[in-house]
Amino acid sequence: SGTAVLLHILDAIRTWRFSRDIHIVLFDAEDVGGMDGNPFAMGARYLAGHPLPLPPEEVIILDMVGGSGI
């Protein structure tokens, strides 16, 4: 379901014209931690240590889209 939302957003914005770059950052299973010996929030830590050249002016956060029990 989260993938479906992302694909819909990408399909919509591909025809728009922007005055700046768009960065898409995906984290999967970040909150689980310990998977295959990887630490918790590995991708988020990497991004924090390697920030974008300019901070974003806007963000869209999708979390638990269609999650079980919601």
Side-chain angles (χ1 to χ4, degrees), residues 2-4 12-13 24-25 27 31 42 45-47 55 59-60 65:
T3 301
I13 67 173
I24 298 173
V25 179
F27 301 118
D31 295 332
M42 185 172 87
R45 289 175 197 253
Y46 181 87
L47 182 61
V59 299
I60 297 173
V65 175

Side-chain angles (χ1 to χ4, degrees), residues 3-69:
T3 301
V5 171
L6 179 62
L7 290 173
H8 182 73
I9 290 171
L10 292 175
D11 189 48
I13 67 173
R14 71 184 172 90
T15 61
W16 300 348
R17 300 293 176 247
F18 296 93
S19 61
R20 59 186 179 270
D21 292 338
I22 294 177
H23 299 271
I24 298 173
V25 179
L26 306 170
F27 301 118
D28 188 27
E30 282 285 291
D31 295 332
V32 176
M35 292 178 62
D36 296 327
N38 293 310
F40 174 81
M42 185 172 87
R45 289 175 197 253
Y46 181 87
L47 182 61
H50 302 83
L52 301 172
L54 297 172
E57 294 180 24
E58 299 93 12
V59 299
I60 297 173
I61 299 172
L62 302 173
D63 192 11
M64 295 299 293
V65 175
S68 176

